[in-house]
Amino acid sequence: MNYKDEETLGQAVKAWRKFHHYRMGDAARAANIPYASFQRIEYDQGNPRIKNLALIARALDMSTDEVIARWFSDDEQKDQ
């Protein structure tokens, strides 16, 4: 499954979690981040710490740079 197609990081994380049949706590453990941080990321609340962003990127089989470019760059850069 390609999580890069999702519109937001939270949607990608949720798709990854559902693909693996994880409950949220299981997914947080699999990604090695605290449950509350995982929950905020999945619900697109605020900006994750870079450490957690790197761990989520690894879970999604992406580089941190790919995640930042895909979901954290401004709209003008996405269109180029």
Side-chain angles (χ1 to χ4, degrees):
M1 171 156 221
N2 190 354
Y3 311 107
K4 295 177 188 179
D5 295 335
E6 299 297 332
E7 180 133 349
T8 68
L9 176 60
Q11 290 170 353
V13 168
K14 185 174 184 177
W16 169 82
R17 178 174 65 80
K18 290 188 177 273
F19 178 78
H20 290 287
H21 305 286
Y22 288 143
R23 291 179 295 165
M24 200 171 286
D26 298 328
R29 279 188 290 284
N32 199 29
I33 66 171
Y35 177 86
S37 297
F38 186 90
Q39 186 177 40
R40 282 191 302 274
I41 292 168
E42 184 171 311
Y43 292 153
D44 288 316
Q45 296 175 337
N47 291 318
R49 293 180 178 187
I50 193 69
K51 175 184 171 186
N52 291 336
L53 192 61
L55 292 169
I56 286 291
R58 184 180 309 156
L60 296 175
D61 197 29
M62 298 172 71
S63 71
T64 305
D65 289 343
E66 286 178 296
V67 169
I68 291 169
R70 173 66 178 100
W71 290 295
F72 291 95
S73 62
D74 62 15
D75 290 336
E76 285 182 25
Q77 289 179 339
K78 284 183 185 177
D79 292 336
Q80 295 178 356

